[in-house]
Amino acid sequence: MGLIGGSIGLAVRERLGADVTGWDPSPGVLDAACAHGALDRGADSIAAAVAEAEVVFVAAPVGQLPATLAEVLRAAPHDCVVTDVGSTKRSVVAAIDDPRFVGGHPLAGAETAGVEHARGDLFQDAVWYLTPTEATTGTGFERLHRALRGLGARPTTIDAATHDTMLAAVSHLPHVVANVLVAQAARALEEESEQLPATGPSFRDATRVAGANSAIWTDIYLANRDALIERIDDATRRLAEFRALLEAADADGVTAWNDGARADRQRLLEAQLAGGPLHELRASVPNEPGVIARLALELGRAGVNITDMALYPAPNQAEGVVALWIAGDEPAERALALVEQLGFPVAEA
Amino acid sequence: MGLIGGSIGLAVRERLGADVTGWDPSPGVLDAACAHGALDRGADSIAAAVAEAEVVFVAAPVGQLPATLAEVLRAAPHDCVVTDVGSTKRSVVAAIDDPRFVGGHPLAGAETAGVEHARGDLFQDAVWYLTPTEATTGTGFERLHRALRGLGARPTTIDAATHDTMLAAVSHLPHVVANVLVAQAARALEEESEQLPATGPSFRDATRVAGANSAIWTDIYLANRDALIERIDDATRRLAEFRALLEAADADGVTAWNDGARADRQRLLEAQLAGGPLHELRASVPNEPGVIARLALELGRAGVNITDMALYPAPNQAEGVVALWIAGDEPAERALALVEQLGFPVAEA
């Protein structure tokens, strides 16, 4: 029941009007969470906390997740959906083989810690990654997706390994690099026995996150070390490439390298352009395990973001309709084509 | 007569009310500069342009500076002060051995190019580095210092080699690193066949300057390649250090590394805190070549910034008084002690 757990409790109570029971290894923290309004009640044990849950959020440190999740899943109802909020997904998804579990990671609140900083609006407009596998139960996944939308978040389905690589590339490595930049600047300045008269906006931008809260970031770096080491190796290779161009005084090479970065930045910016008109697609899907998850994963892989989702089981229970809301004409077209390719009849509503 | 040369012309005419003659290898550019108001007149040659100058600013590309400066110095009056605006200083200062020359570098305007973008307020509050040597004539240096203050700039005296190292550390390397970050992110995302659903503020901050204008930056990187290669090597070492901590899963090591960066960032920020009460120191100095420059360099080396300076030659011409305005109680104390150590009688006015 820290910042994230506490904020989830507050948000669920405020925005979903649902009943929330919580547990924390520390009775003091559990009491504080209740006092803060994050919980309707505290329970004496994990089993007691989850016995009647429809949705369970597990906010333990990444290293403890496999054990804690296993305990939760032992006691949770058979139709419950269980998720975590850890900043890396590969290891936890590999450790848990249960159709009720969906890995999750909200992009929110890495600056402070503790339930006293918890806020019900913490997840408003926040991307919330979900990493279902082909084993994941569709109804549970849909319930979780819907709940997150209710908290104001933007659930985004992605493959666990891709998640970790991407976070390493766009968050963890930039933090590491910010630290490297301030350290080399501080040492260079000391050696030259000069104070730094002025740093420009490029230095301030590049080092804004240097020395971020170790209590949080040490765990993040270590939890994601495989993907982060890969990114560090890539960055080191590129620095060596550029160094060689400099040493050879290769002006054309330097210009090409620079222009390549401009093109890359442009592509990244374009990839983030959100919005566009909302299209509702309806697909007929068999009522088989993993179908919904597979659909969501394939769409995610193709870069189509599912803004919203609803399931409508048919009376015969053998099949059902899944409604998907997709923002943007082009993504919606791609989604239509993709769902057809997967073999499901689909049409725009 | 590009962005910098044009802005200097405009600023000098607007703020100093001085007469400005200019020259450019292209007659079209020279005409545009006059039309833009940056010059009172264009001249037919370098020699004609500088024949009666008190101050000469040479805004040629760094590679052409030695030849252009030599031509300027051949034709300029004996009591003229001549300066450049190149973004690196080591090479040009090594190439020119003339007491009338002071290396200079204004921190302004690396985003656009061309006299059509010139502005008279471009240098307002901008740090303007000056790299006098022990050979530099004091009266010329003081005249230049005073002129730059008149343009609204903050002249800052520094050693040429330190200048290049510092710029590499706080400007050039961050630009290189921004390019590396976008390139590795773009490639990682392509490989995973996913679009980037969201990049956080840390990525945007870290990559804001990626793909900056090659027309300007290729020259800057190449002109400063020695210092920049040193900084790249330092950064590469530090990345390898951190990689090893990750590989060993050394939590304490990672935390120490992270906390070290926080301390470095704090020190850098503190070093930039400007302001404090202004103290006027008056020192008696012999009227010998290089004395003023040496004073300014020693103070700069000790991290004391000279806010303003004035020279008062004594009637006997053998000595004079230099008045120095220093901001901040502590820097002023340090300056007092230092000037005394250098053997000059000094007191606060």
Side-chain angles (χ1 to χ4, degrees):
Chain A
M1 292 305 303
L3 173 73
I4 301 294
S7 296
I8 291 172
L10 279 169
V12 167
R13 296 182 77 220
E14 289 170 17
R15 293 165 179 243
L16 302 183
D19 184 272
V20 183
T21 305
W23 183 84
D24 189 280
S26 152
V29 169
L30 196 55
D31 289 343
C34 291
H36 202 77
L39 303 173
D40 286 286
R41 74 193 61 75
D44 290 330
S45 65
I46 286 179
V50 309
E52 294 177 24
E54 292 173 275
V55 182
V56 179
F57 289 91
V58 180
V62 168
Q64 295 170 26
L65 275 172
T68 310
L69 281 167
E71 200 176 335
V72 165
L73 289 160
R74 268 195 297 275
H78 73 278
D79 57 358
C80 186
V81 63
V82 176
T83 190
D84 73 310
V85 296
S87 63
T88 58
K89 302 267 54 78
R90 240 190 305 211
S91 55
V92 68
V93 167
I96 302 293
D97 180 27
D98 188 310
R100 294 170 293 168
F101 174 69
V102 183
H105 172 216
L107 288 193
E111 304 299 321
T112 56
V115 70
E116 62 273 15
H117 294 113
R119 289 170 17 223
D121 64 356
L122 193 73
F123 310 107
Q124 183 61 46
D125 297 320
V127 167
W128 196 309
Y129 290 116
L130 295 176
T131 57
T133 67
E134 310 240 328
T136 307
T137 304
T139 47
F141 175 71
E142 187 272 342
R143 184 186 316 140
L144 178 61
H145 197 280
R146 188 161 26 93
L148 296 181
R149 295 274 301 151
L151 302 191
R154 293 160 48 201
T156 305
T157 306
I158 194 172
D159 175 78
T162 303
H163 169 277
D164 290 1
T165 295
M166 191 176 62
L167 266 291
V170 308
S171 174
H172 307 159
L173 183 67
H175 278 77
V176 171
V177 154
N179 283 3
V180 166
L181 284 178
V182 295
Q184 63 82 35
R187 259 341 76 63
L189 268 310
E190 271 175 24
E191 278 159 24
E192 304 274 354
S193 315
E194 300 272 350
Q195 280 190 3
L196 193 68
T199 51
S202 54
F203 189 74
R204 280 196 296 276
D205 281 343
T207 59
R208 186 160 286 116
V209 295
N213 192 330
S214 296
I216 295 168
W217 280 89
T218 295
D219 285 342
I220 291 176
Y221 293 145
L222 287 175
N224 204 20
R225 55 193 247 265
D226 290 341
L228 185 47
I229 284 173
E230 271 171 38
R231 300 290 92 229
I232 288 173
D233 288 345
D234 191 318
T236 302
R237 254 192 318 272
R238 293 176 189 279
L239 278 175
E241 234 173 67
F242 182 72
R243 187 199 191 286
L245 293 171
L246 281 185
E247 199 148 46
D250 181 352
D252 290 339
V254 169
T255 294
W257 187 88
N258 210 54
D259 290 345
R262 185 206 302 288
D264 287 334
R265 183 161 187 270
Q266 199 52 37
R267 260 200 302 281
L268 288 170
L269 286 174
E270 280 163 9
Q272 290 172 70
L273 292 171
L278 211 58
H279 297 259
E280 182 186 342
L281 311 187
R282 292 186 162 238
S284 294
V285 296
N287 190 10
E288 285 162 16
V291 165
I292 301 300
R294 183 158 27 111
L295 201 66
L297 274 169
E298 287 293 338
L299 289 171
R301 210 163 273 140
V304 175
N305 203 41
I306 302 166
T307 302
D308 214 340
M309 180 195 306
L311 297 184
Y312 305 98
N316 67 3
Q317 295 292 322
E319 55 189 24
V321 170
V322 56
L324 302 162
W325 283 269
I326 315 279
D329 296 337
E330 192 271 335
E333 271 180 52
R334 257 187 301 133
L336 210 57
L338 216 97
V339 174
E340 260 178 32
Q341 269 172 41
L342 289 171
F344 306 122
V346 60
E348 183 148 359
Chain B
M1 291 305 303
L3 173 74
I4 302 293
S7 297
I8 291 171
L10 279 169
V12 167
R13 295 182 79 221
E14 289 171 17
R15 293 164 179 245
L16 302 183
D19 184 90
V20 183
T21 305
W23 182 83
D24 190 281
S26 152
V29 170
L30 197 55
D31 289 342
C34 292
H36 201 77
L39 302 174
D40 286 286
R41 74 194 61 74
D44 291 330
S45 64
I46 286 180
V50 308
E52 294 176 23
E54 292 174 274
V55 182
V56 179
F57 290 90
V58 179
V62 169
Q64 296 169 26
L65 275 173
T68 310
L69 282 166
E71 200 175 335
V72 166
L73 289 161
R74 267 195 298 277
H78 73 279
D79 57 358
C80 186
V81 62
V82 176
T83 190
D84 73 310
V85 295
S87 65
T88 59
K89 301 270 50 81
R90 240 190 306 212
S91 54
V92 69
V93 166
I96 302 294
D97 181 26
D98 188 309
R100 294 169 295 169
F101 174 68
V102 185
H105 173 216
L107 288 194
E111 304 297 322
T112 55
V115 70
E116 60 275 15
H117 294 113
R119 290 169 18 222
D121 65 355
L122 192 72
F123 310 106
Q124 184 60 45
D125 297 320
V127 168
W128 195 309
Y129 290 117
L130 295 176
T131 58
T133 67
E134 311 239 330
T136 307
T137 304
T139 46
F141 175 71
E142 187 272 342
R143 184 185 317 138
L144 178 61
H145 196 281
R146 188 161 26 93
L148 296 181
R149 297 273 301 150
L151 302 190
R154 295 159 48 198
T156 304
T157 306
I158 194 171
D159 175 77
T162 303
H163 169 277
D164 289 1
T165 294
M166 192 176 60
L167 265 292
V170 308
S171 174
H172 306 161
L173 183 66
H175 278 77
V176 171
V177 154
N179 283 4
V180 166
L181 285 177
V182 296
Q184 62 83 35
R187 258 341 77 62
L189 269 310
E190 272 176 24
E191 278 160 23
E192 305 275 356
S193 316
E194 299 271 351
Q195 279 189 6
L196 193 67
T199 51
S202 54
F203 189 74
R204 281 197 294 277
D205 282 341
T207 58
R208 186 159 285 117
V209 295
N213 192 331
S214 295
I216 295 168
W217 280 89
T218 294
D219 285 341
I220 291 176
Y221 293 145
L222 287 174
N224 203 21
R225 56 193 247 264
D226 291 342
L228 185 46
I229 284 173
E230 271 172 40
R231 299 289 91 230
I232 288 173
D233 288 345
D234 191 317
T236 302
R237 254 193 316 274
R238 292 176 188 280
L239 278 174
E241 234 175 66
F242 183 73
R243 187 199 191 287
L245 293 172
L246 282 185
E247 199 149 46
D250 181 352
D252 290 340
V254 169
T255 293
W257 188 88
N258 209 55
D259 290 343
R262 185 205 304 288
D264 285 335
R265 183 161 188 269
Q266 199 52 37
R267 261 199 303 282
L268 287 170
L269 285 174
E270 281 164 9
Q272 290 171 71
L273 293 172
L278 211 56
H279 297 259
E280 182 187 341
L281 310 188
R282 290 185 163 237
S284 295
V285 297
N287 189 12
E288 286 161 16
V291 165
I292 303 299
R294 183 159 24 113
L295 201 66
L297 275 167
E298 288 292 339
L299 289 171
R301 210 164 272 138
V304 176
N305 203 41
I306 302 165
T307 303
D308 216 339
M309 179 194 305
L311 296 185
Y312 305 97
N316 67 2
Q317 297 292 325
E319 56 188 25
V321 169
V322 55
L324 303 161
W325 283 267
I326 315 279
D329 296 339
E330 193 270 336
E333 270 179 52
R334 255 186 305 132
L336 211 57
L338 217 97
V339 174
E340 260 178 33
Q341 272 172 41
L342 289 169
F344 305 123
V346 60
E348 183 147 0

